[in-house]
Amino acid sequence: MSFPTFAKRLALAAAGLGLTPLFVSAAEAAATVNKGDTTWMLVATSMVVLMTIPGLALFYGGLVRAKNVLSVLMQVLTIFSIISILWVIYGYSFAFTSSASATLNPFFGGLGKLMLAGVGVASETGTFSKETNIPELAFVIFQMTFACITPALIIGAFAERMKFSAVLLFMVLWFTFAYLPMAHMVWFWAGPDAYTLSADNLALVSSLVGEDKAKQLLDALAAATTDDAKAAVLGEYGALVNAGNGYLFNLGALDFAGGTVVHINAGVAGLVCALFLGKRVGYGRDPITPHNLTFMLTGVGLLLFGWYGFNAGSSLEANGLTALIILNTTIAAAAAALAWTAGEWIFRGHPSLLGGASGAVAGLVAITPACGFVGPGGAILIGIAAGFLCLWAVVVLKSKFGYDDSLDVFGVHGIGGILGALLTGVFVNPALGGTGVTDYLAADATAAVAAYSFSGQMYAQVMAVIIAIVWTSVVSFVSLLICKAVFGLRVKEQEEREGLDLVDHGERAYN
């Protein structure tokens, strides 16, 4: 039985039994910690840090004009620093614990781990394999790097014109009310061991549904004499466990490493910011070109390296799936770089380094939600589609509507993220080389591949995309209104002409 099937029973189970969602770490099951998995998670975390500082900073810094390069570098550094602190104070708790309110829990976590309360060197959390754990602190810091880079992506949309103070306030608001709820809705679940209904797993089962209910379910399972009867008992138990999961997870939406949580979330926020702030002074009249394409390509190289940690680290283990993810990440980026290059060559008469690098990033964005669900063939097709579609968004769509998305955050991250989220639902199909969706619900420590349904999976993917777009749009708009009221949003026209490096930071990149 697949997770979407469980979700159909969730409302009835929660309403009928008056359940309060409860998250229980898989550490309470009979699980082991593998030092190889732990080492990989720490390495992957370090790679994502490098992806942000200096990777993203150099990528964005090379794309702006020389008078604004330091402002971009400073924004990335400061956002990383602020969000890392907020993640420890309340971010992890709001994203990866359950709320005391059954109404809020599908959308927002609780207060149980403020300042990482209860998280110590001996704490463990589950992976995607039964009876396999990693240290919870490794998971905390790995997810922290995601929380740090996501808001930093947005600055590319309003680069060269927004006040530094307004940038920082916006990021705090957006992180709290856009990033954390999306992370909770998509990635918060009880862990694989929670779906094992067996006497050997009694402690964990009891902590999830209560001792009396656990005994009742185990007795019913033991008395079941047909497959249908066993499936009914397991289905009831699965629905009870699902009561503590995030909304989009229960819906069956697939997002392996951040198509909705990271890229659509940030990309659409960037578009809202670009529209709200308006165009840069001279946009469409004066030449506004990247000041250092060497910086840009260096940044892309660091992004690609860090993306291996970003995507493959999301497997939470070091195994064959991890290797597949690294392969998929590489070939999707390569296919998109070639597609963008070919598109430019055909329609604009020349292939550019900036275009090829932008294509590579578009491929990385699009493969992010799919990286652990598709085969190499699917990864190549996703990359090709991303290269051509994101090129169209950057060259045609932006020109048609006339918005000034400075570094094409929406055109690459927003459009690429939407494409990747939707194509994940197509290429996860085992018949097309995908891995399929794992069904963990069983009477023992086994798991199986659930039956694939195109309509069911695509419904979940489309709903995830729509919710991400609407949620981040509303939060971004309201956050900008607050920032405008508190600090104002744009620097003065003369200050913008002078450059934000001198105006905001009192220094020049080049002397």
Side-chain angles (χ1 to χ4, degrees), residues 335-412:
L338 293 174
W340 191 303
T341 298
E344 274 195 329
W345 208 341
I346 293 169
F347 298 108
R348 308 189 81 184
H350 60 271
S352 70
L353 173 63
L354 177 57
S358 299
V361 175
L364 291 168
V365 168
I367 197 60
T368 295
C371 60
F373 293 119
V374 305
I380 292 172
L381 292 174
I382 288 172
I384 292 172
F388 283 119
L389 185 63
C390 291
L391 170 62
W392 170 82
V394 168
V395 174
V396 179
L397 185 67
K398 184 167 76 167
S399 176
K400 180 176 178 62
F401 289 97
Y403 57 86
D404 182 13
D405 177 2
S406 305
L407 309 183
D408 297 312
V409 175
F410 176 70
V412 173

Side-chain angles (χ1 to χ4, degrees), residues 10-11 14-15 18-22 94 97-110 181 184-185 188 242-248 250 471:
L10 175 59
L19 292 177
T20 298
L22 173 67
F94 286 173
T97 68
S98 59
S99 171
S101 167
T103 302
L104 289 178
N105 187 70
F107 310 101
F108 211 72
H184 184 83
M185 282 190 276
F188 181 68
N242 278 355
N245 295 341
Y247 176 75
L248 290 173
N250 275 340
W471 194 290

Side-chain angles (χ1 to χ4, degrees), residues 226-245:
T226 65
D227 290 342
D228 287 345
K230 292 178 181 178
V233 177
L234 288 172
E236 180 184 358
Y237 174 65
L240 297 177
V241 175
N242 278 355
N245 295 341

